[in-house]
Amino acid sequence: MIKLDLKRITVRPDRSYSGKYLGVQKSGAFVFNFNSSEHLKLSTEVKAVFFQDQDNKADWYVGFGKDGDYPLFKKDESKGRMSYSFCNSALRDRFLESYGLEKKTFRLLVADNPTIVEEKELYKVERVV
């Protein structure tokens, strides 16, 4: 019999994110799931805007407003809940580059609480590893 010194490791999702995701697909489609769409109060009336921390290129933030860069479209509806999306492969490439990833689909967690930067309400998005 082999004797190994093993320690059980259980990693639970950070509760501050509560299942709020932004999926980024290989095609360049960005999809805010139902939970993130509700939490962020998304609609087709606002546009998304992304900011990258220049000191730590893997840190990204998203905000919303009429003067944003990416118009949102209704993606899917279920039981009265809506998800929203937009498509931009150049932005996808910037994310991939900042994370050192090849072209692939990945998921970002959307923070529960905003960070206020220069009077802008921004939500940190972090890559799910």
Side-chain angles (χ1 to χ4, degrees):
M1 176 165 46
I2 299 173
K3 180 151 174 116
L4 299 173
D5 183 18
L6 300 177
K7 178 181 178 184
R8 182 175 177 166
I9 306 296
T10 303
V11 180
R12 291 182 175 80
D14 182 337
R15 293 191 188 280
S16 68
Y17 289 96
S18 305
K20 297 172 190 75
Y21 296 107
L22 168 57
V24 184
Q25 300 173 359
K26 261 198 274 194
S27 65
F30 286 69
V31 181
F32 292 92
N33 74 346
F34 296 126
N35 290 341
S36 63
S37 293
E38 281 181 355
H39 177 68
L40 299 168
K41 298 177 176 75
L42 299 184
S43 73
T44 56
E45 302 298 313
V46 296
K47 298 176 184 177
V49 59
F50 287 85
F51 296 90
Q52 183 182 32
D53 185 332
Q54 296 305 291
D55 294 326
N56 185 352
K57 300 283 187 177
D59 285 355
W60 287 84
Y61 297 83
V62 63
F64 302 92
K66 296 202 183 285
D67 62 345
D69 299 318
Y70 306 100
L72 299 177
F73 301 95
K74 291 180 180 179
K75 170 72 174 156
D76 192 18
E77 186 172 6
S78 174
K79 299 179 185 174
R81 301 174 75 200
M82 187 67 64
S83 63
Y84 290 86
S85 69
F86 69 92
C87 195
N88 190 294
S89 58
L91 181 61
R92 177 217 49 218
D93 291 346
R94 295 290 299 266
F95 271 95
L96 290 171
E97 181 183 323
S98 74
Y99 296 137
L101 299 174
E102 296 296 319
K103 187 175 177 182
K104 64 181 265 184
T105 295
F106 59 97
R107 187 184 284 185
L108 301 168
L109 296 169
V110 179
D112 275 346
N113 299 311
T115 300
I116 308 300
V117 180
E118 298 175 9
E119 300 181 18
K120 291 181 183 76
E121 197 171 87
L122 304 176
Y123 292 83
K124 188 169 188 178
V125 292
E126 294 185 87
R127 183 173 158 246
V128 178
V129 181

